[in-house]
């Protein structure tokens, strides 16, 4: 008889047994596929462990029945294969037989699997690297939690306890990604809705891959572990001390950078060198902590929109890149300013010579003398030595080199402008660059200075300028004072939400007395500058919502201060609790935000996570008032993260640029047939309010986004107090930012106790006059009118199999 146990196994009374270490996916799948007696440590196995496209289709289609895919193609042609280009206008079919809906769905799906591949490849690299260092038997440590891998457990049914036990989850993601990618080939899938289903699977695979990534690095690299008091870290371009040699790390995979930091500490260089980062590597640099270090010393410079701005400033003496969100022209831009670029990851190599097997002395000499502009270095021990030494050698050679024009050069450059307007037409933010330059000609640089924060650093303006004006450099010259003062604070990534925090807050979330969780994630491609995300976060913090942040948005939120000079991270605590803001960390830590919803279902409601995708996602959709906001959504990774949230029953609001993702999931709020669920107590039908009214859609302004977020935190399970609190915020935000009472607020009223107390009489009068509801004015009680009945003990579900027989 054989026995599988967590982290070990024993075999008794068997002969001729072959043991293959580290290849237990098959065994795990066999258990997961529903052996009659599932292993005790895995818990009762749900119906969809290790799901394939076919296995998730029922739940996807249940969601699509209410939240119908809406397609917004960017052009009428398909140029995908050599049959094309094909004209698909009017939903014609191309040479391969695919119509416009199918092509647009395929394009969106391709973005999702690309984003998923980025996170999972990142996770694979980190996992293998960390296992090489610490071994497979290293216990996973995420802090004070027993539910340590909620996404992995939900999707695969596994409950990993060691680093080695993360491998089957990663192998599953990689296998399914291969299957999904195959369907993009010409002559494969033809139905748009099935491409949408495949995108949903890619989304949940993405959350599994992210979870593997962050579990591995949190466990092994000394990161904060479910720590609401994680340290505050400096953020902003103004935090860099250019008087020291400056190292800038760019990307998302911190593995190599930890060796640089180790070398600096071992050689007493932390005060002699400046090290900062852009994008998520920056966050993870500040989370990395050896036992003897008291506080982070790495600086978070900013987001992808700051990359070219930092290079043009001339401050970096060496740039080290890893993977993801790395500008493709950094080598070219660095060469102009004698800034060497070192590639530390196979995913971005820039055509540089691979010097991994050469001595550090030889590499430093070749770069110093200009023989090579940089190199590939995949040996992390050498990388750790190379980067600090190179920074110290290059700093004196580069002194005074910058792309920022002098005062005289600035006057000459703006004088060249003829006001043709090509730059404004090319700008994705539609910035009024010509008028700003016209003002600069007259000596007023204020308009150019104002563009600094709005500019996303794409350089499209420079590419179309007939006078070859380096527009970005001109903007940065005008903003030198602002840049010098660009200093904020952000809380280092705390990691996962602990089980204890879930137990304390779960009831409030499900009943609605904590009005909701707003997850602000995504890139820096904002429609009107970075202060939008700060404004949104502050608005909801003041209203006692829980704010969860990560990545670039978390950085930008920390850049703004109140009248007392305090950031939101200083003003509000970091626990998972109403009125708090918690930063989970870098991009891959987004898995902890979705995982928090799963943990509410598991810990508060006692639901079984293992392989139970539809049940847990259905629980979130009906009971947990969580809404995601990707206001600056830009990358394919953001598409994958958001789609995974949608599959988990979490709606997402995107910024206006995100219409370019070409697909939304929006319900028909006027179709009452779509707003019915089962009561799992007896299988009877329940009418519910039209919320959430979408799974993914866009808003035009941050003010509109606030109203949409508040509305879509409403859930069928809200008790009277919870519904009253949520209606209060939604109505107030609509009146504050849109100037109107929402036209469908009455659909969410089940009885008078649901009404906001301060507006109850006014709203009752409205219901009587506008809707014809019968009101007992003596008791201020609704006699008739509501179409939705309230029963606090009802158990709403979209999943028929969860219902008991009547």
């Amino acid at each position: 008889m054989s026995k599988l146990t967590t982290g070990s196994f024993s075999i008794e009374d068997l002969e001729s047994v072959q043991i293959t270490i580290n290849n237990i996916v098959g065994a795990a799948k066999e258990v997961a596929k529903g052996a009659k007696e599932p292993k005790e440590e895995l818990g009762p196995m749900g119906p969809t462990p290790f799901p394939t496209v076919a296995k998730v289709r029922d739940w996807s289609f249940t969601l699509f029945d209410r939240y119908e895919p809406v397609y917004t193609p960017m052009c009428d042609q398909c140029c995908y294969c050599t049959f094309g280009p094909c004209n698909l206008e009017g939903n014609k079919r191309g040479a391969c037989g695919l119509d416009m809906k199918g092509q647009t769905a395929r394009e969106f799906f391709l973005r999702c699997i690309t984003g998923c591949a980025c996170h999972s490849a990142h996770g694979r690299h980190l996992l293998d690297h960390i296992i090489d260092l610490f071994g497979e038997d290293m216990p996973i440590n995420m802090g004070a939690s027993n539910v340590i891998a909620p996404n992995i457990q939900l999707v695969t049914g596994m409950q990993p306890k060691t680093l080695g036990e993360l491998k089957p989850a990663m192998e599953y993601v990689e296998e399914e990604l291969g299957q999904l990618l195959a369907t993009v080939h010409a002559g494969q899938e033809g139905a748009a809705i099935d491409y949408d289903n495949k995108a949903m699977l890619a989304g949940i695979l993405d959350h599994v891959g992210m979870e593997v990534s962050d579990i591995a690095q949190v466990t092994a690299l000394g990161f904060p572990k479910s720590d609401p008091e994680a340290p505050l870290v400096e953020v902003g371009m103004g935090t860099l001390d250019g008087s020291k040699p400056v190292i800038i790390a760019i990307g998302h995979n911190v593995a190599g950078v930890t060796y640089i930091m180790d070398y600096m500490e071992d050689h007493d260089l932390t005060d002699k060198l400046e090290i900062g980062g852009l994008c998520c590597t920056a966050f993870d640099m500040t989370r990395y902590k050896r036992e003897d270090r008291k506080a982070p010393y790495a600086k978070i410079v900013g987001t992808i929109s700051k990359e070219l701005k930092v290079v043009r400033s001339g401050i970096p003496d060496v740039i080290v890149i890893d993977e993801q969100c790395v500008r493709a022209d950094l080598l070219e831009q660095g060469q102009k300013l004698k800034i060497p670029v070192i590639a530390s990851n196979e995913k971005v190599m820039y055509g540089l010579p691979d010097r991994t097997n050469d001595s550090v002395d030889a590499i430093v000499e070749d770069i110093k003398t200009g023989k090579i502009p940089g190199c590939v270095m995949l040996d992390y021990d050498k990388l750790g030595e190379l980067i600090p030494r190179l920074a110290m050698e290059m700093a004196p050679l580069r002194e005074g080199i910058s792309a920022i024009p002098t005062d005289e050069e600035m006057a000459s450059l703006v004088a060249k402008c003829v006001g043709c307007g090509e730059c404004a037409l090319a700008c994705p933010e539609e910035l009024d660059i010509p008028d700003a330059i016209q003002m600069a000609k007259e000596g007023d640089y204020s308009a150019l200075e104002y563009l600094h924060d709005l500019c996303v650093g794409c350089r499209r303006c420079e590419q179309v300028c007939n006078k070859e004006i380096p527009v970005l450099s001109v903007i940065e010259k005008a903003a030198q004072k602002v840049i010098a003062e660009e200093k904020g604070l952000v809380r280092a990534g705390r990691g996962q939400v602990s089980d204890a925090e879930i137990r304390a807050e779960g009831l409030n979330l499900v009943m609605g007395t904590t009005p909701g969780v707003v997850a602000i994630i995504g890139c820096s491609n904002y429609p009107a500058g970075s202060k939008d995300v700060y404004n949104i976060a502050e608005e909801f913090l003041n209203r006692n919502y829980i704010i969860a942040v990560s990545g670039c948005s978390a950085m930008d939120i920390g850049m703004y201060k109140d009248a007392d000079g305090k950031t939101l991270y200083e003003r509000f605590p970091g626990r998972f609790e109403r009125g708090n803001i918690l930063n989970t960390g870098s991009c891959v830590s987004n898995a902890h935000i979705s995982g928090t919803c799963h943990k509410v279902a598991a810990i508060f409601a006692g639901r079984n996570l293992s392989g139970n995708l539809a049940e847990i996602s259905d629980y979130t959709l009906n009971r947990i008032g969580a809404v995601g906001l990707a206001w600056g959504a830009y990358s394919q990774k953001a598409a994958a993260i958001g789609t995974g949230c949608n599959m988990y029953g979490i709606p997402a609001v995107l910024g206006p640029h995100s219409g370019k993702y070409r697909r939304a999931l929006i319900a028909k709020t006027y179709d009452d047939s779509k707003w019915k669920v089962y009561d799992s107590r007896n299988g009877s039908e329940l009418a519910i309010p039209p919320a959430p009214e979408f799974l993914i859609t866009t808003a035009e302004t941050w003010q509109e986004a606030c109203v949409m977020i508040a509305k879509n935190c409403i859930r069928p399970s809200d008790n009277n107090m919870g519904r009253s609190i949520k209606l209060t915020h939604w109505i107030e935000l609509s009146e504050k930012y849109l100037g109107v009472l929402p036209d469908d607020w009455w659909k969410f009223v089940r009885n008078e106790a649901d009404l906001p107390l301060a507006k109850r009489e006014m709203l009752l009068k409205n219901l009587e006059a506008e809707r014809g509801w019968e009101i007992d004015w003596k008791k201020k009680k609704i006699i008739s009118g509501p179409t939705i009945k309230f029963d606090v003990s009802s158990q709403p579900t979209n999943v028929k199999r969860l219902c008991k027989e009547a």
Side-chain angles (χ1 to χ4, degrees):
M1 176 180 178
S2 67
K3 180 181 180 183
L4 281 175
T5 63
T6 302
S8 63
F9 64 89
S10 63
I11 299 177
E12 301 171 3
D13 302 321
L14 290 181
E15 296 179 1
S16 303
V17 175
Q18 177 179 336
I19 302 173
T20 305
I21 303 296
N22 302 335
N23 189 19
I24 63 170
V25 178
K29 283 187 176 179
E30 286 305 311
V31 173
K33 283 179 181 175
K36 291 182 181 178
E37 296 180 2
K39 301 304 176 184
E40 180 181 348
E41 59 277 1
L42 289 176
M45 190 60 66
T48 54
F50 294 97
T52 62
V53 165
K55 289 292 187 181
V56 300
R57 202 165 180 254
D58 282 349
W59 176 240
S60 290
F61 277 33
T62 297
L63 293 173
F64 297 152
D65 181 59
R66 180 187 296 168
Y67 303 101
E68 297 179 22
V70 177
Y71 305 105
T72 55
M74 294 184 68
C75 72
D76 293 326
Q77 288 190 325
C78 175
C79 305
Y80 195 72
C81 75
T82 58
F83 278 124
C86 293
N87 179 15
L88 305 182
E89 185 180 6
N91 215 30
K92 298 186 183 77
R93 294 190 180 271
C96 72
L98 194 65
D99 62 11
M100 177 61 83
K101 285 176 66 175
Q103 164 65 2
T104 306
R106 179 171 67 178
E107 288 280 353
F108 179 76
F109 164 61
L110 184 57
R111 279 150 183 76
C112 290
I113 57 174
T114 302
C116 177
C118 271
H119 284 141
S120 59
H122 175 189
R124 165 60 72 182
H125 179 275
L126 266 176
L127 181 62
D128 288 349
H129 172 68
I130 287 170
I131 284 177
D132 284 346
L133 291 177
F134 300 100
E136 291 191 349
D137 293 333
M138 185 178 194
I140 291 171
N141 182 2
M142 297 300 288
S145 289
N146 291 317
V147 183
I148 57 176
N151 280 283
I152 294 171
Q153 186 178 348
L154 177 63
V155 177
T156 71
M158 298 169 53
Q159 297 180 54
K161 298 294 191 297
T162 66
L163 291 179
E165 291 175 8
L166 293 172
K167 281 188 170 182
M170 186 54 74
E171 289 166 5
Y172 158 70
V173 171
E174 291 163 343
E175 178 185 348
E176 291 307 312
L177 267 177
Q179 297 294 334
L180 289 172
L181 182 59
T183 69
V184 182
H185 193 280
Q188 292 270 33
E189 182 61 73
I193 196 167
D194 269 303
Y195 268 127
D196 286 322
N197 172 54
K198 292 174 172 66
M200 296 293 250
L201 175 59
I204 61 172
L205 294 175
D206 185 50
H207 286 248
V208 172
M210 288 191 294
E211 192 167 78
V212 170
S213 300
D214 213 46
I215 285 176
Q217 61 185 14
V218 168
T219 292
L221 299 180
F223 287 14
K225 296 172 172 60
S226 299
D227 183 6
E229 301 297 329
L232 292 169
V233 180
E234 289 185 290
V235 59
M237 291 176 66
T239 63
L240 294 173
D241 183 355
S243 68
K244 301 176 183 178
V246 177
I247 298 166
I248 293 294
I250 302 177
H252 280 251
N253 188 334
V254 79
V257 182
T258 63
Y259 286 73
I260 300 169
M261 298 176 71
D262 287 349
Y263 185 91
M264 289 173 61
E265 292 176 38
D266 292 341
H267 292 79
D268 195 27
L269 296 174
T270 57
D271 292 330
K272 300 179 180 66
L273 296 175
E274 189 81 338
I275 183 166
L278 291 111
C279 292
C280 284
T281 287
F283 256 136
D284 289 341
M285 288 161 61
T286 67
R287 299 167 83 192
Y288 176 55
K289 185 176 183 294
R290 299 203 305 192
E291 290 182 6
D292 54 345
R293 189 190 312 149
K294 294 180 180 179
Y297 57 88
K299 309 285 181 63
I300 298 175
V301 183
T303 66
I304 189 173
S305 66
K306 299 287 178 67
E307 286 184 17
L308 193 52
K309 299 177 183 182
V310 170
V311 175
R312 293 276 181 96
S313 74
I315 289 178
D317 292 304
V318 60
I319 294 172
V320 57
I321 58 173
D322 48 83
E323 61 172 303
Q324 300 174 40
C325 299
V326 178
R327 283 189 61 92
D329 60 353
L330 285 179
L331 178 63
E332 173 198 358
Q333 294 290 322
Q335 281 182 281
K336 295 176 182 178
L337 302 174
K338 297 184 180 180
I339 304 172
V341 175
I342 310 300
S344 65
N345 190 294
E346 294 177 351
K347 297 184 189 70
V348 184
M349 300 174 83
Y350 280 160
L352 288 165
D354 188 347
R355 302 293 295 270
T356 299
N357 296 320
D358 295 348
S359 72
V360 172
D361 288 340
I363 299 168
V364 170
E365 185 62 26
D366 285 349
I367 291 176
K368 260 179 63 178
T369 57
K371 186 176 179 180
I372 55 174
C375 70
V376 174
M377 174 50 67
L378 303 178
D379 182 324
Y380 286 167
D381 285 311
K382 288 183 182 178
L383 180 75
E385 179 184 355
L386 173 62
I387 299 302
R389 285 185 54 186
L390 196 53
M392 290 186 287
E393 293 282 354
M394 294 302 299
L397 300 177
R398 296 194 56 265
E399 190 170 353
I401 298 178
S402 167
I404 305 301
T406 64
D407 292 344
E408 294 77 13
E409 290 169 339
M410 181 71 164
S412 174
L413 287 170
V414 298
K416 291 168 63 176
C417 177
V418 295
C420 67
E422 291 291 334
C423 54
L425 291 173
C427 178
E429 301 297 302
E430 300 179 348
L431 301 182
D432 197 348
I433 301 169
D435 279 0
I437 292 181
Q438 184 58 44
M439 289 176 62
K441 286 183 180 182
E442 299 166 5
D444 183 355
Y445 290 170
S446 61
L448 280 173
E449 178 184 87
Y450 177 72
L451 297 183
H452 164 71
D453 180 61
L454 303 179
C455 169
V456 296
C458 68
R459 209 169 64 83
R460 283 170 59 174
C461 51
E462 295 182 354
Q463 294 168 342
V464 299
C465 181
N466 295 318
K467 297 298 180 179
E468 298 184 344
I469 299 170
V471 181
L472 181 61
S473 296
V474 166
I475 292 171
E476 294 303 284
K477 168 63 176 179
Q480 287 299 289
K481 183 176 183 295
V482 170
I483 292 169
E485 297 172 351
E486 193 177 86
K487 299 176 183 178
L489 288 172
V490 58
R491 196 169 295 285
R494 55 157 288 160
Q496 195 179 78
V497 173
S498 70
D499 293 6
E501 291 171 283
I502 297 292
R503 280 190 287 271
E505 197 62 41
L507 177 64
N508 297 323
L509 275 173
V510 173
M511 294 294 100
T513 47
T514 291
V517 180
V518 181
I520 304 178
I521 68 168
C523 313
S524 53
N525 189 27
Y526 309 117
S530 58
K531 196 172 184 183
D532 284 0
V533 285
Y534 169 87
N535 289 334
I536 294 167
E538 183 181 44
E539 180 69 71
F540 283 101
L541 283 168
N542 286 332
R543 293 176 177 275
N544 260 351
Y545 287 73
I546 298 171
I547 303 295
V549 297
S550 67
C552 288
S553 292
M555 297 178 193
D556 284 328
I557 286 170
M559 287 305 306
Y560 296 92
K561 302 171 184 176
D562 66 4
D564 296 324
K566 290 187 175 182
T567 66
L568 293 181
Y569 298 103
E570 296 169 281
R571 291 165 53 193
F572 298 93
R575 290 184 59 78
F576 183 72
E577 187 176 309
R578 69 182 80 181
N580 282 207
I581 179 170
L582 55 144
N583 173 31
T584 54
S586 56
C587 263
V588 291
S589 76
N590 279 301
H592 303 321
I593 299 177
S594 59
T596 297
C597 291
H598 311 333
K599 291 180 74 163
V600 170
I603 295 169
F604 166 71
R607 300 291 181 104
N608 172 42
L609 288 187
S610 299
N612 226 352
L613 174 65
E615 179 178 339
I616 302 304
S617 303
D618 176 74
Y619 184 91
T620 298
L621 182 67
N622 284 300
R623 295 174 180 272
I624 302 174
V627 177
L629 174 73
W631 193 238
Y634 163 75
S635 68
Q636 291 83 1
K637 294 184 299 173
I641 293 168
T643 303
C645 287
N646 297 162
M647 189 62 158
Y648 288 147
I650 305 168
V653 180
L654 310 180
H657 289 307
S658 302
K660 297 167 192 173
Y661 283 146
R662 309 176 195 183
R663 204 268 266 137
L665 295 172
I666 303 173
K668 296 174 179 175
T669 57
Y670 54 83
D671 185 349
D672 291 342
S673 68
K674 301 295 184 183
W675 301 102
K676 288 181 169 55
V677 296
Y678 302 109
D679 186 340
S680 64
R681 297 175 302 176
N682 53 28
S684 62
E685 202 171 67
L686 287 172
I688 61 169
E693 65 182 353
F694 56 81
L695 284 181
I696 193 162
T697 191
T698 59
E700 288 299 313
T701 66
W702 71 264
Q703 295 91 339
E704 181 188 9
C706 284
V707 179
M708 294 169 70
I709 290 167
K711 179 180 183 180
N712 286 279
C713 282
I714 296 174
R715 292 294 183 273
S717 67
D718 299 336
N719 66 12
N720 290 133
M721 183 181 294
R723 182 63 56 82
S724 175
I725 291 169
K726 292 182 179 184
L727 284 176
T728 296
H729 295 306
W730 173 32
I731 290 170
E732 286 181 358
L733 286 166
S734 181
E735 291 178 331
K736 179 178 180 179
Y737 291 127
L738 305 183
V740 295
L741 185 71
D743 59 6
D744 57 345
W745 65 270
W746 55 274
K747 292 183 178 182
F748 301 84
V749 178
R750 301 160 299 189
N751 56 49
E752 64 282 349
D754 284 346
L755 295 171
L757 190 59
K759 294 179 178 288
R760 184 167 296 176
E761 186 168 344
M762 180 271 286
L763 295 174
L764 285 171
K765 288 178 180 178
N766 182 288
L767 289 170
E768 184 179 57
E770 300 292 330
R771 312 305 317 174
W773 289 19
E774 184 181 356
I775 310 296
D776 180 341
W777 283 105
K778 194 170 186 178
K779 297 180 180 179
K780 292 188 178 177
K781 187 177 180 64
I782 298 173
I783 304 300
S784 65
T787 57
I788 302 170
K789 295 180 180 179
F790 176 62
D791 180 353
V792 72
S793 63
S794 64
Q795 302 289 322
T797 181
N798 295 281
V799 183
K800 181 72 171 175
R801 64 175 172 79
L802 298 179
C803 298
K804 298 175 183 177
E805 292 185 10

